[in-house]
Amino acid sequence: MNDSPNLIFTQRSSPNIQTIHGIIVCIPFFYLIVCVVVSEPLSIPGNLVLFMLMLSVTSLPAMFRRHVMRVEFDDKHNQLIITYPKYFFFRHDVRIEYEATGFIAFNDLGVLKDTPTSLSHLKFYNKRTYIAQITTKLTSWKRDWQSEDLEKMHAKLKTFAKEYKDSPGLI
């Protein structure tokens, strides 16, 4: 660990997986743009071009998902620091004051009502504006986040943050 007194949680698997995924999605997308500009496929069979188009269209929304790589509780400055990749490649840090922090804890069945017995998702908000989420689902060969991490974060968040439950009015 580090010498910082801050409570820090990080992803178990490497964030390079998101970068590799971004490269895999962007290569066929840029190829298709070149094909449209030149107005002819560059000696690739039509079925492969169709596959590349389908891959690009279905994978591009993943660029805008905000899955957390790192969470830091900075008690010295009363800030929550959330790090997530922006557009696959760029690391983006969001600092939220403790008094403006909100969260929703839920599992695969819905929003948690009482105890975090099977906590699998944790969404972070800044004054009711969505920031990012943590998911313990399998995204590679192993889980990125352990449910114990989410339970520890949930316990820490309950000491200072607002917990939103079933709030359709969230932006």
Side-chain angles (χ1 to χ4, degrees):
M1 205 104 187
N2 57 9
D3 296 334
S4 171
N6 300 340
L7 184 59
I8 299 173
F9 299 95
T10 58
Q11 251 184 350
R12 303 242 187 284
S13 66
S14 171
N16 295 334
I17 292 171
Q18 284 128 355
T19 304
I20 292 168
H21 183 243
I23 292 169
I24 290 170
V25 168
C26 289
I27 288 174
F29 182 70
F30 288 124
Y31 174 79
L32 291 172
I33 289 175
V34 169
C35 287
V36 168
V37 170
V38 177
S39 69
E40 65 180 65
L42 304 172
S43 69
I44 291 185
N47 290 341
L48 186 57
V49 171
L50 182 62
F51 173 75
M52 290 168 57
L53 176 67
M54 289 179 10
L55 175 73
S56 297
V57 168
T58 58
S59 298
L60 278 179
M63 289 180 77
F64 304 105
R65 291 192 189 116
R66 299 177 184 176
H67 290 288
V68 175
M69 295 169 27
R70 182 174 185 262
V71 176
E72 180 177 351
F73 293 91
D74 186 0
D75 291 332
K76 183 177 180 185
H77 298 101
N78 288 334
Q79 289 183 337
L80 178 67
I81 304 165
I82 300 170
T83 304
Y84 61 88
K86 195 170 194 178
Y87 309 122
F88 292 125
F89 306 105
F90 307 109
R91 180 180 158 170
H92 184 67
D93 291 335
V94 177
R95 294 177 179 272
I96 309 170
E97 298 295 325
Y98 276 178
E99 58 269 3
T101 303
F103 70 96
I104 296 179
F106 60 102
N107 58 21
D108 292 328
L109 300 176
V111 176
L112 292 177
K113 300 295 183 191
D114 296 318
T115 59
T117 53
S118 59
L119 186 60
S120 62
H121 304 286
L122 193 59
K123 289 187 177 182
F124 295 97
Y125 293 87
N126 180 9
K127 295 183 181 173
R128 302 186 73 81
T129 303
Y130 173 73
I131 300 296
Q133 83 169 1
I134 294 176
T135 302
T136 59
K137 291 184 177 182
L138 289 171
T139 57
S140 61
W141 291 280
K142 59 182 177 178
R143 293 186 185 273
D144 287 339
W145 292 92
Q146 300 296 325
S147 58
E148 299 86 33
D149 290 343
L150 263 65
E151 290 174 12
K152 289 176 187 172
M153 278 187 257
H154 185 249
K156 175 76 174 174
L157 284 167
K158 285 174 88 171
T159 62
F160 63 83
K162 298 170 192 71
E163 184 169 10
Y164 302 126
K165 292 188 182 255
D166 298 326
S167 300
L170 292 172
I171 299 172

